[in-house]
Amino acid sequence: MTSMDVSQSTTLQYVHWFRHSAPYINAHRGKTFVIMFDGEAVLHANFQHIIHDIALLHSLGIRLILVYGARPQINQNLKASGLTTPFHHHRRVTTRESLSAVMNASGSIRLQIEALLSMGLANSPMYGARIDVVSGNLVTAKPYGIRDGVDFQLSGEVRSIDTDAIQRHLLSQNIILLGPTGYSTTGEVFNLLAEEVATKTAISLKADKLIFLGRSAGLIDEHGQLIREVLPHQLEEHLLQYQDANPDIFLHLHGAKTASLQGVHRVHLISYATDGAMLEELFTRDGSGTMITDAHYEEVRTANIQDVGGLINLLRPLEEEGILVYRSRERLENEIEQFAVIERDGTILACAALYPIPTAEGELRSAEIACVAVHPSYRKSNRGSQILHYLEEKAKALGIEQLFILTTRTAHWFIEQGFASASVDDLPNARQALYNYQRNSLVCIKTL
């Protein structure tokens, strides 16, 4: 094969890859990604390539929040000062004497990242890139306190994320940079787990992806092969495997599990040591690491008779609180086809029902959405929105023109989903006749 043939083959491979990456480019544009990398990644020779890839993602219209760790840099600062700090359950006990080492390491890395993102040399991947990086007091912290008899002193945990400020900066096409520190309402500085900062930020922002860049490419099976996709409920066995053997992977997995259970649909574990690993993971079908996703085993579907027992378990506590109207087993069996459910491993996590309303001549075709319920452990996820959207699409397919809901406690949530406040008089005549004035439910309406 001649050099010209080799060159042509390489060009064709590039064209083939670029064409096949187009759907992923379109899918990711405008989405929010939280990318976490630790202090070892910052020290690695490949880190400059990671910065170039981050700049590329930014240029493709992806909204980025970067979260960095600083453990090796903190350790180096402590050693230089002749100080040591113990760890308990993978969390550093931060004494007041050691806090300056934490702050110096965090500040130094922040400046380094900002400098790298400011590069614009000709003949470099950053040429022509104008990137504004924003950091600041965006993470509020609180003391981690005393755990197992250990006083963690100035080690803290995330109290809240200033999502409003972050969203404003993202809309202005800025990259957000967060470190392993947070600030209390009393003005104290706390040393935080960067993994926790990334996880809480992704959850608070309802991020589309949370990406952990670690030493390994992802999870490895017993045959030494990369596990490309994992379901959230399968992470427990891996957490036990890595708890003592590899604290870094353990913290990533713990963050991945927490984020997955609270509404972040895609969490990725990728190697920081492999050039282009992040691009390969995001823009190719097979990827380069491990993805944690619930997409394949949590789908909204129409309920069937086998779901009645699970529906009863989900609905009874809400009925006993007076939030929902009581439905007998017989009624649930008769109306089962009206229900949609999200089910995981035999447990109903969410449900809702669509009831067409008989309408008279001159009235819009209407339906009522009722019995919206989400399992208590998953109420901070978006499963309620997911099942509501499913029923709205079903209603459109049936030619329904407007939806009603009647609620005593969750009107604000429905308004957030696009419903508007209405009155009993707005209900179709057939539904007005059945309105329970003793419950005095609020009425909301949505035009399809």
Side-chain angles (χ1 to χ4, degrees), residues 32 58 61-64 130-134 163-176:
T32 300
H58 179 262
I62 298 171
R63 300 173 178 180
L64 298 174
R130 173 58 181 154
I131 300 174
D132 291 324
V133 184
V134 175
T163 54
D164 290 340
I166 290 176
Q167 292 287 17
R168 286 196 302 270
H169 290 304
L170 292 176
L171 287 172
S172 299
Q173 299 183 337
N174 299 323
I175 289 180
I176 305 298

Side-chain angles (χ1 to χ4, degrees), residues 12 17 20 54 71 89 100 109 123 128 195 203 258 304 319 326 329 348 354 429:
L12 288 174
W17 176 86
H20 282 79
I54 287 170
R71 288 188 196 94
H89 294 321
S100 61
I109 294 173
N123 301 320
E195 294 83 0
I203 293 168
T258 302
N304 56 53
E319 292 168 352
Y326 173 78
R329 175 180 284 271
I348 303 298
L354 180 71
N429 292 331

Side-chain angles (χ1 to χ4, degrees), residues 143-164:
Y144 195 64
I146 300 173
R147 311 285 181 102
D148 302 325
V150 176
D151 185 354
F152 282 84
Q153 302 183 52
L154 291 178
S155 291
E157 59 183 327
V158 176
R159 182 174 183 176
S160 64
I161 305 293
D162 191 346
T163 54
D164 290 340

